[in-house]
Amino acid sequence: MEQADAKEETMEQADATRAGRPIVVALSSDTMGRGDDDLGRVLLRNFLHTLGEVDPAPDTLICFNSAVKLAVEGSPALEDLRRLEARGVRILLCGTCLGHFELKDRVAAGEISNMYAIAETMLGAARVINL
Amino acid sequence: MSAASPTHTLFLVPSANHAVQGERALLRAGLGCRLIPVPRDLSSQCGVCLRVRFADRGRTEEALTAAGTVVEAIHDVLMD
């Protein structure tokens, strides 16, 4: 039953991609889930690595709040983000958030963006997957 | 046709905490490593492992042993 659901989900995602409407993954922190931040950081690294291997890849990855820390020099997720970019995934980084954490001059993947682009990307998406 | 040589070695550990501890130990020892999900062909369960260059296999094993990191399995693999 679960397998059937997963297959249906994959087909829906493929349909959305075919229709030309992007799939967007939005990261709101540098952890995945709540409960234990150390575990959450490992899980998010795992997630980003896996995104580089599965289909369909998202069209856009949006990082805001502490998620922008993933895209700066020294981040352990950098290699996976660059791999996603090489696959054609656009990575948008919240400029306000980079400024808040004083990381604007350390961006090493993705592009510094603003809330207009982020909002338009979300509103134009076939689906937004929020983590 | 001979099988391709492994490029990396995966050290499977019992938990995410062990993986983080092992990563710190390897970085302290000057060994490059990455935490990655355990590949599906090695385990169907959600897990995290340490990936190092195959050339660093021996030194990694020594560093993890010295740090007291528990290793459940070691796999030599061909990866990008």
Side-chain angles (χ1 to χ4, degrees):
Chain A
M1 190 65 180
E2 285 181 1
Q3 279 185 332
D5 289 344
K7 188 176 179 184
E8 189 176 342
E9 182 79 1
T10 303
M11 289 173 67
E12 283 180 14
Q13 289 177 337
D15 287 342
T17 302
R18 274 197 293 273
R21 298 175 60 206
I23 295 172
V24 173
V25 173
L27 305 180
S28 60
S29 85
D30 60 350
T31 72
M32 185 176 185
R34 294 176 185 164
D36 185 300
D37 284 349
D38 289 335
L39 175 62
R41 276 186 274 273
V42 171
L43 293 178
L44 189 52
R45 287 168 66 182
N46 270 4
F47 177 75
L48 292 173
H49 182 86
T50 306
L51 270 190
E53 296 186 346
V54 296
D55 287 311
D59 297 275
T60 306
L61 186 68
I62 297 174
C63 298
F64 52 94
N65 212 315
S66 60
V68 297
K69 295 178 181 177
L70 299 164
V72 302
E73 294 164 3
S75 160
L78 208 48
E79 190 175 327
D80 287 319
L81 290 179
R82 286 175 172 159
R83 194 169 165 208
L84 285 171
E85 284 189 300
R87 280 190 86 185
V89 178
R90 189 178 183 203
I91 299 175
L92 301 181
L93 309 174
C94 166
T96 302
C97 309
L98 287 164
H100 175 80
F101 293 110
E102 299 183 352
L103 292 171
K104 270 191 178 171
D105 57 350
R106 291 183 53 200
V107 171
E111 57 189 277
I112 300 175
S113 188
N114 59 52
M115 201 53 82
Y116 287 96
I118 289 172
E120 286 168 358
T121 301
M122 286 180 165
L123 291 169
R127 67 179 59 193
V128 178
I129 299 161
N130 289 291
L131 285 191
Chain B
M1 191 173 70
S2 63
S5 299
T7 56
H8 295 85
T9 300
L10 304 181
F11 290 81
L12 275 57
V13 292
S15 71
N17 283 339
H18 284 83
V20 171
Q21 183 213 30
E23 181 185 41
R24 286 182 187 141
L26 295 183
L27 293 176
R28 275 198 307 271
L31 292 161
C33 77
R34 293 192 61 203
L35 289 190
I36 65 166
V38 176
R40 278 190 281 210
D41 56 336
L42 295 183
S43 172
S44 60
Q45 297 181 18
C46 184
V48 59
C49 62
L50 293 154
R51 187 184 81 172
V52 300
R53 292 185 312 141
F54 179 66
D56 293 333
R57 187 190 206 276
R59 290 174 59 209
T60 299
E61 205 168 352
E62 289 170 8
L64 292 177
T65 301
T69 303
V70 177
V71 175
E72 290 187 325
I74 302 173
H75 296 276
D76 298 322
V77 296
L78 187 63
M79 292 184 121
D80 294 337

